[in-house]
Amino acid sequence: MRIISKRDAVQKIVSTKGKVFSARFIKRTNGEVRNINCRLGVTKHLKGGELKYKPASKNLVGVFDMQGGEYRMIDIDGLLEIQVEGEGFAVERTVDEV
């Protein structure tokens, strides 16, 4: 598994262009590690309205959880691993994050 930076991980996520990928990250709310199979660009389940903030401004990526059938936010700061097109990547952690 190759180690990549957070910025590179976000670029790989964006480059999926709607294809399913998986991510492992630490949830902001309770510190729990979460695994998710998800994709970008799903609009079928939207119920109207808009977010009151830009996810990128809070270091988040909005995705659709394929197992739960709901929209979720991935915390970029807590990102541990991603798997894109069958290739796994570990996300670089700084000393104070470990």
Side-chain angles (χ1 to χ4, degrees), residues 12-58:
K12 288 204 176 287
I13 290 170
V14 171
S15 74
T16 62
K17 298 181 182 173
K19 292 181 182 174
V20 176
F21 67 95
S22 62
R24 185 168 176 249
F25 63 99
I26 300 169
K27 290 171 61 174
R28 275 188 189 173
T29 54
N30 59 10
E32 184 181 309
V33 175
R34 178 180 181 132
N35 295 312
I36 187 171
N37 291 322
C38 52
R39 58 185 277 211
L40 300 174
V42 176
T43 58
K44 181 178 181 179
H45 305 284
L46 290 175
K47 295 185 174 147
E50 292 182 12
L51 289 175
K52 295 180 174 143
Y53 61 93
K54 301 268 188 220
S57 70
K58 296 182 183 267

Side-chain angles (χ1 to χ4, degrees), residues 58-70:
K58 296 182 183 267
N59 230 11
L60 299 168
V61 174
V63 299
F64 184 76
D65 181 353
M66 300 300 291
Q67 293 167 320
E70 298 177 331

